[in-house]
Amino acid sequence: MSAELIVLLIVIVTALAFDFTNGFHDTANAMATSIATGALSPRVAVAMSAVLNLVGAFLSVEVAKTVSGGLLKISDVHHMELLHIVFAGLAGGILWNLFTWLFGIPSSSSHALFGGLIGAAVAALGTGGVIWTGNEKTGLISKIIVPALLAPFVAALVAALGTYAIHRLTHRSEQTKVKSGFRWGQIGSAGLVSLAHGTNDAQKTMGVIFMALVAHGTFTNNDDIPLWVKLCCALAIAAGTYLGGWRIIRTLGKGLVEIDPPQGFAAESSSAVIILTSAQFGLPLSTTQTATGSILGTGLGKPGAEVRWGVLGRMSVAWLFTLPLAGLVGAACWWIADLIGGLGGVLVDFALLIALSAYMYLRSRRNPIDTSNVNDEWDGGLTPAPERPAPAVGASV
């Protein structure tokens, strides 16, 4: 087995690992509001989301085409060098996903991946290695930057208008029946977001794996993405979704806005429409930013609702730093691989990736979030404050 084939296999495994982290990192986009309102129990919610992510992955390949051929100038790059770039970019995406998950920050998995790839490409090829502006099918600015800036604002506006309309139509009705009806509606709207997420996000990993296969010479850019790539990516994102990213689910469901069922329905419906529309145009949109914008919009659209602006501020800072910091990690991984050279450099990077990932997982176990406390009242931090013991009888309070 040649060194180049071993590197290709490592890239494919790493890509599927990223897809897995994408799944549990972004489960909150579809299910945080349904879990927060009680429309679905936590375990049922993630199981439903996993199945629909799996189905959604097969609905389109437009986003995969954008990722595989619309962001990097790879036509004249040597096979081994391109595999190094793809691997380093994936490592940057995985580490940023795990870092933000550790702190319960709903940052964009998409931008983590693109940041890692761009950082590695710039480190290896210079700024000329990135397609900054292109035609209607290519270009970082038109395909990534502009949608990233517009998505949360458009989602917030649509969700705010939807929430306000629902409030005006139902404010004289019996609220118990209203909430019960919208809880049922949330099951459908949350399912639609999950379907949209699979359609949009699983394709990003498909595009990366296909890019690696083209680099290896197994396929050309004119070939169709093979079925086994689609199936593996669909299964990986579904498995990650079922694991449940409880830390981020808690932040989106309880930390940003205190959500009731009508708000949850409006947020999910807005997100689904925007994500599905972008997928059809081949825009690798950030589902996280879209979902967060929708949830924010429900707080703005409901009279008297509370928006926790401090939580939103932390999210916004993470959004701003996702592309550059994931890019720096991608660049660092490429430099390490290039310094050592060949298969050895990739193996060292792979070992570092495993070690850092394990550290962040073990660090998360100090303050675990799971089905037992994901819906506890928000007290300003990720984990609920420990309950104080009741005072002994006769003791002064």
Coordinates of all heavy atoms in Angstrom, one line a residue, residues 25 92-93 96-97 99-100 105-116 286 288-289 314-330:
H25 N -22.7 18.7 16.9 CA -22.5 20.2 17.2 C -23.8 20.9 16.7 O -24.2 21.9 17.3 CB -21.3 20.7 16.4 CG -20.8 22.0 16.8 ND1 -21.4 23.2 16.4 CD2 -19.8 22.4 17.6 CE1 -20.8 24.2 16.9 NE2 -19.8 23.7 17.6
G92 N -8.4 21.4 11.4 CA -8.8 22.7 11.9 C -10.3 22.8 12.2 O -10.7 23.3 13.2
G93 N -11.1 22.3 11.3 CA -12.6 22.3 11.5 C -13.0 21.4 12.7 O -13.8 21.9 13.5
W96 N -11.9 23.2 16.1 CA -12.8 24.4 16.5 C -14.2 23.9 16.9 O -14.8 24.4 17.8 CB -12.9 25.3 15.3 CG -13.7 26.6 15.6 CD1 -14.9 26.8 15.2 CD2 -13.3 27.6 16.4 NE1 -15.4 28.0 15.7 CE2 -14.4 28.5 16.5 CE3 -12.1 27.9 17.2 CZ2 -14.3 29.7 17.2 CZ3 -12.1 29.1 17.9 CH2 -13.2 30.0 17.9
N97 N -14.7 22.9 16.2 CA -16.0 22.4 16.6 C -16.0 21.9 18.0 O -16.9 22.1 18.8 CB -16.4 21.2 15.7 CG -17.2 21.6 14.5 OD1 -17.6 22.8 14.3 ND2 -17.6 20.7 13.6
F99 N -13.9 22.7 20.4 CA -13.6 23.8 21.4 C -14.9 24.5 21.7 O -15.2 24.8 22.8 CB -12.5 24.7 20.8 CG -12.2 25.9 21.6 CD1 -11.4 25.8 22.7 CD2 -12.8 27.1 21.3 CE1 -11.1 26.9 23.5 CE2 -12.5 28.2 22.1 CZ -11.7 28.1 23.2
T100 N -15.6 24.9 20.6 CA -16.9 25.7 20.9 C -17.9 24.8 21.5 O -18.7 25.3 22.3 CB -17.4 26.2 19.5 OG1 -17.5 25.2 18.5 CG2 -16.5 27.3 19.0
I105 N -21.0 26.9 22.8 CA -21.2 28.0 21.9 C -21.6 27.5 20.5 O -20.9 26.7 19.9 CB -19.9 28.8 21.7 CG1 -19.4 29.3 23.1 CG2 -20.1 30.0 20.7 CD1 -18.0 30.0 23.0
P106 N -22.8 27.9 20.1 CA -23.3 27.4 18.8 C -22.7 28.1 17.6 O -23.3 29.0 16.9 CB -24.8 27.7 18.9 CG -24.9 28.9 19.8 CD -23.8 28.7 20.8
S107 N -21.4 27.8 17.4 CA -20.7 28.4 16.2 C -21.0 27.6 15.0 O -21.6 26.5 15.0 CB -19.2 28.5 16.5 OG -18.7 27.2 16.5
S108 N -20.5 28.1 13.9 CA -20.8 27.4 12.6 C -19.8 26.3 12.2 O -18.6 26.6 12.1 CB -20.8 28.5 11.5 OG -20.8 27.8 10.2
S109 N -20.3 25.1 12.1 CA -19.4 24.0 11.7 C -19.0 24.2 10.3 O -17.9 23.8 9.9 CB -20.2 22.6 11.8 OG -20.5 22.3 13.1
S110 N -19.9 24.8 9.4 CA -19.5 25.0 8.0 C -18.3 26.0 8.0 O -17.4 25.7 7.2 CB -20.7 25.7 7.3 OG -21.8 24.9 7.4
H111 N -18.4 27.1 8.7 CA -17.3 28.0 8.7 C -16.0 27.5 9.3 O -14.9 27.9 8.9 CB -17.7 29.3 9.3 CG -18.8 30.0 8.6 ND1 -19.5 31.1 9.1 CD2 -19.3 29.8 7.3 CE1 -20.4 31.5 8.2 NE2 -20.3 30.7 7.2
A112 N -16.2 26.6 10.3 CA -15.0 25.9 10.8 C -14.3 25.1 9.7 O -13.0 25.2 9.6 CB -15.4 25.1 12.0
L113 N -15.1 24.4 9.0 CA -14.5 23.6 7.9 C -13.9 24.5 6.8 O -12.7 24.3 6.4 CB -15.6 22.7 7.3 CG -15.2 21.9 6.0 CD1 -14.1 21.0 6.3 CD2 -16.4 21.2 5.4
F114 N -14.6 25.5 6.4 CA -14.0 26.4 5.3 C -12.8 27.1 5.8 O -11.9 27.3 5.1 CB -15.1 27.3 4.8 CG -16.3 26.6 4.3 CD1 -17.6 27.1 4.5 CD2 -16.2 25.4 3.5 CE1 -18.7 26.4 4.0 CE2 -17.3 24.8 3.0 CZ -18.5 25.3 3.2
G115 N -12.9 27.6 7.1 CA -11.7 28.3 7.6 C -10.5 27.4 7.7 O -9.4 27.8 7.3
G116 N -10.7 26.1 8.1 CA -9.5 25.2 8.1 C -9.0 25.0 6.7 O -7.7 25.0 6.5
S286 N -24.5 28.5 6.7 CA -24.3 28.1 8.1 C -25.7 27.9 8.7 O -26.5 28.8 9.0 CB -23.6 29.2 8.9 OG -23.7 28.9 10.3
T288 N -26.2 26.9 11.7 CA -26.2 27.4 13.1 C -26.5 28.9 13.1 O -27.4 29.3 13.9 CB -24.8 27.2 13.7 OG1 -24.4 25.8 13.6 CG2 -24.7 27.8 15.1
Q289 N -25.9 29.7 12.2 CA -26.3 31.1 12.2 C -27.7 31.3 11.8 O -28.4 32.2 12.4 CB -25.3 31.9 11.3 CG -23.9 31.9 11.8 CD -23.0 32.7 10.9 OE1 -23.4 33.2 9.8 NE2 -21.7 32.8 11.2
R314 N -21.6 36.7 23.1 CA -20.6 35.6 23.1 C -20.7 34.8 21.8 O -19.7 34.4 21.2 CB -20.8 34.7 24.3 CG -20.5 35.4 25.6 CD -20.2 34.4 26.8 NE -21.5 33.7 27.1 CZ -22.3 34.1 28.0 NH1 -22.2 35.3 28.6 NH2 -23.4 33.4 28.3
M315 N -21.9 34.5 21.4 CA -22.1 33.8 20.1 C -21.5 34.6 18.9 O -20.8 34.1 18.1 CB -23.6 33.6 19.8 CG -24.2 32.6 20.8 SD -26.0 32.4 20.3 CE -26.6 31.5 21.7
S316 N -21.8 35.9 18.9 CA -21.3 36.7 17.8 C -19.8 36.8 17.7 O -19.2 36.8 16.6 CB -21.9 38.2 17.9 OG -23.3 38.1 17.9
V317 N -19.2 36.9 18.9 CA -17.7 36.9 18.9 C -17.2 35.6 18.3 O -16.2 35.6 17.5 CB -17.2 37.1 20.4 CG1 -15.7 36.8 20.4 CG2 -17.5 38.5 20.8
A318 N -17.8 34.5 18.7 CA -17.4 33.2 18.2 C -17.6 33.1 16.7 O -16.7 32.6 15.9 CB -18.1 32.0 18.8
W319 N -18.7 33.7 16.2 CA -18.9 33.7 14.7 C -17.8 34.5 14.0 O -17.3 34.0 13.0 CB -20.2 34.3 14.4 CG -21.4 33.6 14.9 CD1 -21.4 32.3 15.4 CD2 -22.8 34.0 14.8 NE1 -22.7 31.9 15.7 CE2 -23.6 32.9 15.4 CE3 -23.4 35.2 14.4 CZ2 -25.0 33.0 15.5 CZ3 -24.8 35.2 14.6 CH2 -25.6 34.2 15.1
L320 N -17.4 35.6 14.6 CA -16.4 36.5 13.9 C -15.0 35.8 13.9 O -14.3 35.9 12.9 CB -16.2 37.8 14.7 CG -17.4 38.8 14.6 CD1 -17.2 40.0 15.5 CD2 -17.6 39.2 13.1
F321 N -14.7 35.0 14.9 CA -13.4 34.3 15.0 C -13.4 32.9 14.4 O -12.3 32.4 14.3 CB -13.0 34.3 16.5 CG -12.4 35.6 17.0 CD1 -13.2 36.4 17.8 CD2 -11.2 36.1 16.6 CE1 -12.8 37.6 18.3 CE2 -10.7 37.3 17.1 CZ -11.5 38.1 17.9
T322 N -14.5 32.4 14.0 CA -14.5 31.0 13.5 C -13.6 30.8 12.3 O -12.7 30.0 12.3 CB -15.9 30.5 13.2 OG1 -16.7 30.5 14.4 CG2 -15.9 29.2 12.6
L323 N -13.9 31.6 11.3 CA -13.1 31.5 10.0 C -11.6 31.7 10.3 O -10.7 30.8 9.9 CB -13.6 32.4 8.9 CG -14.7 31.9 8.1 CD1 -15.4 33.0 7.3 CD2 -14.3 30.8 7.2
P324 N -11.2 32.8 10.9 CA -9.7 33.0 11.1 C -9.0 32.1 12.0 O -7.9 31.6 11.7 CB -9.6 34.5 11.6 CG -11.0 34.8 12.1 CD -11.9 34.0 11.3
L325 N -9.7 31.7 13.1 CA -9.0 30.8 14.1 C -9.0 29.4 13.6 O -8.0 28.7 13.7 CB -9.7 30.9 15.4 CG -9.5 32.2 16.2 CD1 -10.1 32.1 17.6 CD2 -8.0 32.5 16.3
A326 N -10.1 28.9 12.9 CA -10.0 27.6 12.3 C -9.0 27.6 11.2 O -8.2 26.6 11.0 CB -11.4 27.2 11.8
G327 N -8.8 28.7 10.5 CA -7.8 28.9 9.5 C -6.4 28.8 10.0 O -5.5 28.1 9.4
L328 N -6.2 29.4 11.2 CA -4.9 29.3 11.8 C -4.5 27.9 12.2 O -3.4 27.4 12.1 CB -4.8 30.2 13.1 CG -4.7 31.7 12.8 CD1 -4.8 32.5 14.1 CD2 -3.4 32.0 12.1
V329 N -5.5 27.1 12.7 CA -5.3 25.7 13.1 C -5.0 24.9 11.9 O -4.1 24.1 11.9 CB -6.5 25.2 13.9 CG1 -6.3 23.7 14.2 CG2 -6.7 25.9 15.2
G330 N -5.8 25.2 10.8 CA -5.5 24.5 9.5 C -4.1 24.8 9.0 O -3.4 23.9 8.5

